[in-house]
Amino acid sequence: EEEERRLEEERRKEEEERLRIEEEKELKKQRKREKVEKQKREGTYMTKKQKEKARLTEQRLEAMRAAGMIPTTHDEGSNPPKKTKIIYNNKRKGKGHVQYNNNNNIIHNQEEKHNDDIPNSWEDKIEEEENEEIQNLKYALSEVPETSEKTMIEQVKKNSESSEDDLEADVDSGDDWDDDSDDTGKFDDLAKRLEEATVDDDDEDLIEKEKRAEKERLRLLGLKRAEQERKEAELLAKVKAEENEWNKEAQLIAFKREEGKRKREMQEKENLAARSRDDLRCPIVVIMGHVDTGKTTLLDKIRKTNVQEGEAGGITQQIGATYFEKKTLESQTTRLNATENFDITVPGMLIIDTPGHESFTNLRSRGSSLCDVAILVIDLMHGLEQQTIESLTMLRNRGVPFVVALNKVDRCYAWKTCKDTPIREALKEQPEGTIQEFRSRTTDTKVQLMEQGVNSNLYWEMGDDDWESTDFIPLVPTSGVTGEGVQDVLLLLCQIAQKKIWRQLMWCANLQCTVLEVKSIDGLGMTVDVLLVNGYLREGDRAVFCTLNGPIVTEIRGLLTPPPSREMRVKSEYIHHKKVKGALGVKVIGNGLEKVMAGTPVLTIGPDDEEEDIKAEVMSDLTNLEDKLSTDKKGVMVQASTLGALEALLQFLREETKPPIPVSAIGIGTVHKRDVTKISVMNEKGCPEYATILAFDVDIEKEAREHANDMRVRIFTADIIYHLFDQFTRFMEELAERRQKEAAEIAVFPSIIKILPQHIFNQKDPIIMGVEVSEGILKVGTPLCVPALGGLHIGKVTSIESNGREEETAKKGSSVAVKISNESNPNITYGRQFDAAHSLYSTLTRESIDALKENFKDKLDNEDWRLVVKLKKVFNIL
């Protein structure tokens, strides 16, 4: 740390020194700029080129002085020679000429009239001309850099020639012109000013320096840009090469995947061809029915356990799987089989206990149902109920054979308990009145089933033709409390399995496995309950599971099963297996199983399988579901416990609701805070009604509920699909009513009414008259006007009365009495401003039409909307 601090201190000092040097350089540049600005203001600024020209000019002047071409400066102490009076012509018009007479006397200009004024006039003129020449020369040297050297030399020669002419005139006149001439002062002043204007040669011209610096900067910038373009070209070439390589790899992966898929499908076909009737798997049975019909109680009686008492409210809260061995089936049906003599060949039975009918859809493998046969439980006391009918419809749509258990037969009046006996033996022990009640209730149930299109009969009364017909459903009276008829249900299921559906029960080596539930077990960590239908699962296999974030591959660290005839939910000592064969309910132990989704398939990667192909196959169900998902940008969020439940809920919202409910997001499992945040954007999109989560059979985190209140997100929860739909529908209806109340002041329904002149009860405010609705709908609060009179506002309808009763609306063709008030102009009078010759129209505006479209679209039919279009033209509404 000390070394780091020392290095940091050194870097800080170096940075400070660098900044100080830069500041000094900048200060020096600033001083140079100020110096240049000062020289420019004084008129002494010269560029480097101008300085060079001035220096050359000075050298020439010195040379000319040395050659005697230009008079040198006289000494200060000597008296200046007397100036000869010379008359010059106007120099501005040309060179001055001196004229002499025969006596060598100067002849003055004829234009001069006063000889006494000559000395003063020509001296002033000479001084003025000298000053003018000095100014011109100074301008040529300093202010005009474009002045060429040749021009400056000609100017000097011109001055020299003028001086020589003057000298000749002075010599001819006998005066010492060389000493007396004032031209020397002109050049002395020029030299003096040039000395003042010269700058130190070492001080390089700042503008030229900046130009060179800019040129150098541009050169370096060009080099830098060229280098950057070169690097970009190299990078682009590299990216293209990588892209080509990636494309090749992707193509190779796709080829391998397709090849793996082809091999896998060939292997599956071979395995299907190798099936045998002698090798049957356990039939998978699902118990369905309405809430509180006794499903779990009946199952408890079958397996001699008591799960029901351990469940909240006696209602099944989660999915359970119970495996019955062959010997259990044989022992439980001993008394009945003594008369039936039926040989049970199935290796056992796997019964799924479901919460109602919803989880029936969870038992799926690659899009097909895993359920082989079902028990539909009907309460003999209540007959068919809502969920019973839905279960019945689902079973028929899937083509699943089922048995109807008429449960709670022990509720018949004066029923004598015959514990765990076949139902026919129990009925023989009952009194006549009980038998009659049982027959009556059974007949009622058969009638209800016939209303649903299902033929049924008590199973012992069915003939051979009925058994052969798939339309006839056997009825088995049972009691989940005392056990009557349980043996009949088990034996009947075995008979259906071996006689009707034996082809689909032939065991196959193709792995067919579905996730039932994901939960954490103390000492084991996160585990997955799976239903193994066909194939094998082995410890050490690499299994592929489906999650919302993509497939995960994990090694199976353990395979556990509960003891026979025990449900997987009941805590008991688990049996460890190295290898299990379907059909069986198995608990899988592995790493990273937290996000595995219930209802999704499970596959294993074999030595000849392609991993990418197996991953794609596992994710195919979820991918297909997402493809079917409504792509609406606006909609609710749907959260379900399993993939199958999610699929069933989406189908229900899309196809069975009127109007369909749009869905913008889906999720599986517990509702978290991030889910609330995700759907809260609907508030920002202007659709607060869709800031809603429909949670089916899932838990809600406490933090998520609190966050939902803050974000104005509603969460509806239910364990039954149609309850969820009812909650949301009720909310939408309340929202629509609230919006309609808010828009009622703005929205105006279209109407045209005709005044009945024989029914005028009051002509002035309030106007009370009889009217007939010619077109549209007249509502209380509708403003009326007369377009034929320039849109004369008559008033607003405050009440409508028909046959002595107050009405809110009056439709086309009805004759009613109306009261019209006009607060803004109470002097409107029938018979004065308007009369029965004029029809009254609803006063429509663009705002009122928009309010109708948004909130009252379902209140108007096509004819009313055509009237709206007609009135738009009357009121010139765009």
Side-chain angles (χ1 to χ4, degrees):
E1 293 180 359
E2 292 179 359
E3 181 66 18
E4 289 180 359
R5 284 198 295 272
R6 185 182 63 79
L7 292 173
E8 184 65 27
E9 184 67 21
E10 288 180 0
R11 284 194 292 269
R12 187 182 61 79
K13 289 181 178 180
E14 289 176 359
E15 182 66 18
E16 289 178 355
E17 182 65 20
R18 184 183 64 78
L19 292 174
R20 185 186 63 78
I21 293 171
E22 288 182 357
E23 288 177 359
E24 289 180 356
K25 288 182 179 179
E26 188 64 30
L27 187 59
K28 189 174 180 181
K29 288 182 180 180
Q30 184 64 25
R31 286 174 181 168
K32 284 188 178 184
R33 291 193 193 97
E34 291 174 356
K35 184 177 179 181
V36 169
E37 291 296 328
K38 182 179 178 183
Q39 289 177 351
K40 285 183 177 179
R41 286 196 301 271
E42 294 175 352
T44 59
Y45 174 74
M46 297 172 68
T47 64
K48 188 176 180 183
K49 190 178 291 185
Q50 290 171 342
K51 292 174 192 175
E52 185 64 24
K53 288 181 179 180
R55 187 178 63 78
L56 293 173
T57 304
E58 181 65 22
Q59 288 177 359
R60 290 188 179 93
L61 289 172
E62 289 296 331
M64 291 168 68
R65 287 192 186 100
M69 298 173 66
I70 300 176
T72 57
T73 308
H74 59 265
D75 296 334
E76 294 179 0
S78 60
N79 294 324
K82 186 178 180 179
K83 295 179 181 179
T84 306
K85 296 177 182 179
I86 303 173
I87 298 173
Y88 291 90
N89 289 331
N90 191 350
K91 276 192 175 184
R92 288 188 180 88
K93 297 178 180 178
K95 285 188 178 181
H97 296 282
V98 184
Q99 298 180 4
Y100 298 90
N101 58 10
N102 294 331
N103 297 327
N104 287 334
N105 292 326
I106 299 172
I107 300 174
H108 295 285
N109 195 326
Q110 295 178 3
E111 293 179 0
E112 291 290 337
K113 299 297 181 183
H114 304 286
N115 292 334
D116 294 338
D117 296 336
I118 289 174
N120 292 331
S121 63
W122 65 258
E123 285 179 359
D124 292 341
K125 186 174 285 189
I126 289 173
E127 186 176 355
E128 180 183 346
E129 290 173 355
E130 286 175 353
N131 288 334
E132 185 178 351
E133 286 187 7
I134 289 171
Q135 291 297 329
N136 290 337
L137 187 56
K138 177 183 175 184
Y139 178 81
L141 289 174
S142 54
E143 294 299 333
V144 188
E146 292 83 3
T147 304
S148 66
E149 183 178 345
K150 182 177 180 181
T151 307
M152 296 176 68
I153 293 171
E154 288 176 356
Q155 181 68 28
V156 173
K157 285 182 178 180
K158 182 179 178 182
N159 292 336
S160 300
E161 289 172 0
S162 176
S163 300
E164 288 175 9
D165 292 342
D166 294 342
L167 284 171
E168 289 174 0
D170 188 40
V171 169
D172 292 342
S173 64
D175 296 329
D176 189 3
W177 177 255
D178 185 60
D179 293 332
D180 274 349
S181 176
D182 280 343
D183 287 347
T184 57
K186 171 173 65 177
F187 292 109
D188 290 342
D189 186 52
L190 175 63
K192 185 177 180 181
R193 293 195 181 194
L194 286 174
E195 287 177 1
E196 289 178 357
T198 53
V199 202
D200 187 7
D201 291 339
D202 295 335
D203 187 12
E204 190 177 5
D205 180 71
L206 185 60
I207 295 177
E208 293 294 329
K209 188 174 181 180
E210 288 181 352
K211 285 183 179 178
R212 284 199 304 275
E214 180 67 14
K215 187 176 181 180
E216 181 66 16
R217 187 184 69 81
L218 291 174
R219 186 183 68 82
L220 294 176
L221 185 63
L223 292 175
K224 185 178 179 181
R225 185 170 296 173
E227 180 66 17
Q228 185 177 356
E229 289 177 354
R230 184 186 63 79
K231 289 182 179 179
E232 287 179 355
E234 291 179 356
L235 182 61
L236 183 62
K238 184 178 179 181
V239 169
K240 286 185 177 179
E242 289 178 353
E243 186 177 355
N244 292 334
E245 188 67 25
W246 183 84
N247 288 336
K248 289 180 181 178
E249 291 180 0
Q251 291 175 359
L252 182 62
I253 291 173
F255 174 75
K256 288 183 177 179
R257 183 188 300 145
E258 291 298 323
E259 187 66 18
K261 183 178 181 180
R262 187 182 61 81
K263 289 181 180 179
R264 176 173 54 80
E265 290 176 348
M266 286 181 60
Q267 185 63 42
E268 288 177 354
K269 288 180 180 178
E270 292 177 1
N271 292 337
L272 287 173
R275 294 182 304 167
S276 169
R277 186 169 184 175
D278 297 332
D279 187 10
L280 299 180
R281 62 171 174 83
C282 302
I284 298 171
V285 182
V286 61
I287 297 183
M288 306 173 71
H290 195 77
V291 177
D292 200 28
T293 52
K295 300 184 298 297
T296 306
T297 309
L298 184 62
L299 190 60
D300 286 340
K301 182 56 64 175
I302 293 173
R303 63 184 169 225
K304 308 296 186 192
T305 60
N306 197 353
V307 175
Q308 183 76 12
E309 290 181 3
E311 293 186 351
I315 299 175
T316 305
Q317 299 295 324
Q318 52 190 312
I319 302 170
T322 304
Y323 174 62
F324 292 88
E325 292 181 320
K326 182 178 178 181
K327 60 182 180 181
T328 306
L329 294 174
E330 290 175 343
S331 63
Q332 293 227 19
T333 59
T334 303
R335 289 182 63 178
L336 179 62
N337 211 11
T339 56
E340 294 291 331
N341 296 321
F342 182 75
D343 183 20
I344 298 175
T345 59
V346 292
M349 188 177 294
L350 194 65
I351 298 183
I352 309 297
D353 183 25
T354 66
H357 72 272
E358 304 302 343
S359 295
F360 173 79
T361 55
N362 303 337
L363 308 179
R364 28 197 320 282
S365 173
R366 287 177 268 184
S368 61
S369 175
L370 297 182
C371 178
D372 299 314
V373 64
I375 302 173
L376 181 61
V377 181
I378 297 178
D379 189 339
L380 185 64
M381 299 293 111
H382 296 97
L384 267 66
E385 296 174 271
Q386 175 65 34
Q387 205 168 347
T388 312
I389 295 172
E390 291 182 6
S391 301
L392 184 63
T393 304
M394 190 178 295
L395 289 169
R396 296 179 67 195
N397 290 340
R398 296 291 184 98
V400 177
F402 60 96
V403 174
V404 173
L406 295 176
N407 201 26
K408 301 184 180 179
V409 69
D410 55 308
R411 294 281 187 91
C412 291
Y413 182 74
W415 179 269
K416 290 183 180 179
T417 301
C418 303
K419 195 170 183 178
D420 298 331
T421 58
I423 187 62
R424 280 178 285 182
E425 293 183 13
L427 287 173
K428 290 177 182 178
E429 302 295 328
Q430 307 306 321
E432 185 64 27
T434 305
I435 295 294
Q436 289 180 358
E437 182 185 357
F438 165 73
R439 288 284 181 183
S440 173
R441 292 187 180 277
T442 302
T443 304
D444 292 342
T445 304
K446 290 167 64 176
V447 171
Q448 290 176 342
L449 287 171
M450 290 180 68
E451 290 174 353
Q452 300 299 320
V454 176
N455 295 320
S456 61
N457 203 349
L458 294 172
Y459 83 94
W460 62 84
E461 295 179 356
M462 291 173 61
D464 293 338
D465 294 338
D466 294 338
W467 278 109
E468 294 295 329
S469 173
T470 55
D471 292 338
F472 263 84
I473 303 300
L475 303 179
V476 185
T478 60
S479 171
V481 177
T482 55
E484 291 94 343
V486 172
Q487 296 185 33
D488 302 72
V489 171
L490 289 177
L491 190 62
L492 200 54
L493 290 174
C494 293
Q495 289 176 349
I496 292 175
Q498 294 177 205
K499 290 181 178 180
K500 285 191 173 184
I501 59 172
W502 60 269
R503 288 182 178 83
Q504 69 188 63
L505 292 183
M506 291 190 293
W507 183 85
C508 180
N510 298 331
L511 182 62
Q512 204 173 0
C513 185
T514 296
V515 176
L516 290 181
E517 193 176 358
V518 182
K519 55 186 175 182
S520 179
I521 302 294
D522 294 340
L524 298 178
M526 195 61 67
T527 64
V528 177
D529 290 349
V530 300
L531 180 62
L532 177 63
V533 182
N534 276 315
Y536 290 102
L537 280 181
R538 301 175 182 83
E539 195 174 288
D541 279 351
R542 294 177 64 215
V544 183
F545 294 90
C546 174
T547 73
L548 280 175
N549 300 327
I552 61 168
V553 181
T554 186
E555 183 179 344
I556 297 177
R557 296 192 291 110
L559 295 169
L560 309 178
T561 61
S565 299
R566 285 298 184 101
E567 196 191 5
M568 294 174 70
R569 293 177 296 171
V570 179
K571 287 187 177 180
S572 58
E573 289 298 324
Y574 289 102
I575 301 174
H576 288 256
H577 301 269
K578 292 291 183 182
K579 174 181 174 181
V580 291
K581 178 182 177 181
L584 195 64
V586 187
K587 186 179 289 294
V588 177
I589 305 173
N591 296 325
L593 302 177
E594 294 82 5
K595 297 184 178 181
V596 174
M597 295 188 298
T600 56
V602 181
L603 293 177
T604 57
I605 302 174
D608 299 329
D609 294 329
E610 284 293 334
E611 184 173 324
E612 293 301 321
D613 168 51
I614 302 299
K615 286 181 179 180
E617 188 64 30
V618 167
M619 295 297 294
S620 61
D621 277 1
L622 182 62
T623 305
N624 294 337
L625 181 62
E626 289 178 344
D627 291 341
K628 294 177 183 177
L629 179 64
S630 173
T631 55
D632 295 334
K633 294 182 180 179
K634 298 177 181 179
V636 300
M637 183 176 191
V638 174
Q639 198 90 0
S641 56
T642 66
L643 184 66
L646 178 64
E647 190 174 17
L649 183 54
L650 287 175
Q651 182 179 2
F652 182 79
L653 295 178
R654 275 200 308 267
E655 299 177 5
E656 300 183 31
T657 58
K658 302 293 180 186
I661 298 174
V663 177
S664 63
I666 59 172
I668 292 178
T670 304
V671 176
H672 300 283
K673 182 179 178 181
R674 62 176 179 270
D675 300 319
V676 175
T677 304
K678 183 178 181 181
I679 198 61
S680 65
V681 298
M682 290 300 155
N683 287 319
E684 301 172 7
K685 290 184 177 181
C687 302
E689 66 273 19
Y690 292 140
T692 304
I693 298 177
L694 303 182
F696 172 63
D697 197 24
V698 294
D699 295 328
I700 315 294
E701 282 187 346
K702 182 181 178 182
E703 188 179 7
R705 285 193 180 277
E706 295 172 354
H707 190 54
N709 294 331
D710 298 336
M711 302 298 290
R712 294 180 291 117
V713 172
R714 289 157 301 281
I715 302 178
F716 297 121
T717 59
D719 294 337
I720 300 172
I721 283 183
Y722 58 83
H723 287 177
L724 202 60
F725 168 69
D726 291 343
Q727 290 181 38
F728 184 71
T729 305
R730 190 160 52 249
F731 162 72
M732 291 295 286
E733 289 173 353
E734 292 173 358
L735 182 66
E737 289 177 4
R738 188 165 66 249
R739 287 182 173 177
Q740 287 179 4
K741 288 180 181 178
E742 293 173 356
E745 294 295 324
I746 305 172
V748 177
F749 280 66
S751 65
I752 300 176
I753 61 176
K754 180 182 176 183
I755 300 174
L756 302 177
Q758 67 274 27
H759 298 293
I760 306 299
F761 305 107
N762 194 22
Q763 295 181 333
K764 201 171 180 180
D765 188 58
I767 300 171
I768 301 175
M769 63 175 68
V771 297
E772 180 183 348
V773 182
S774 302
E775 294 183 64
I777 303 172
L778 181 66
K779 286 179 66 73
V780 173
T782 302
L784 298 176
C785 69
V786 183
L789 299 176
L792 176 66
H793 179 59
I794 304 301
K796 186 179 288 188
V797 177
T798 55
S799 68
I800 301 174
E801 190 172 299
S802 176
N803 297 324
R805 292 194 306 271
E806 291 281 339
E807 301 285 351
E808 284 295 318
T809 62
K811 294 190 176 183
K812 178 181 177 180
S814 59
S815 298
V816 294
V818 296
K819 182 164 74 172
I820 304 172
S821 298
N822 192 335
E823 296 178 358
S824 60
N825 188 6
N827 294 322
I828 292 287
T829 306
Y830 173 80
R832 180 178 297 172
Q833 284 91 348
F834 71 101
D835 54 27
H838 305 105
S839 294
L840 304 183
Y841 287 65
S842 297
T843 307
L844 294 188
T845 62
R846 167 47 57 192
E847 292 75 15
S848 65
I849 295 174
D850 292 341
L852 279 177
K853 288 180 179 179
E854 291 177 9
N855 302 289
F856 299 95
K857 198 169 186 178
D858 56 335
K859 303 290 185 182
L860 278 72
D861 55 24
N862 293 335
E863 187 177 355
D864 296 327
W865 285 114
R866 282 194 291 271
L867 179 59
V868 170
V869 174
K870 176 181 175 181
L871 295 183
K872 279 174 65 178
K873 296 177 182 177
V874 172
F875 294 107
N876 294 322
I877 299 173
L878 298 177

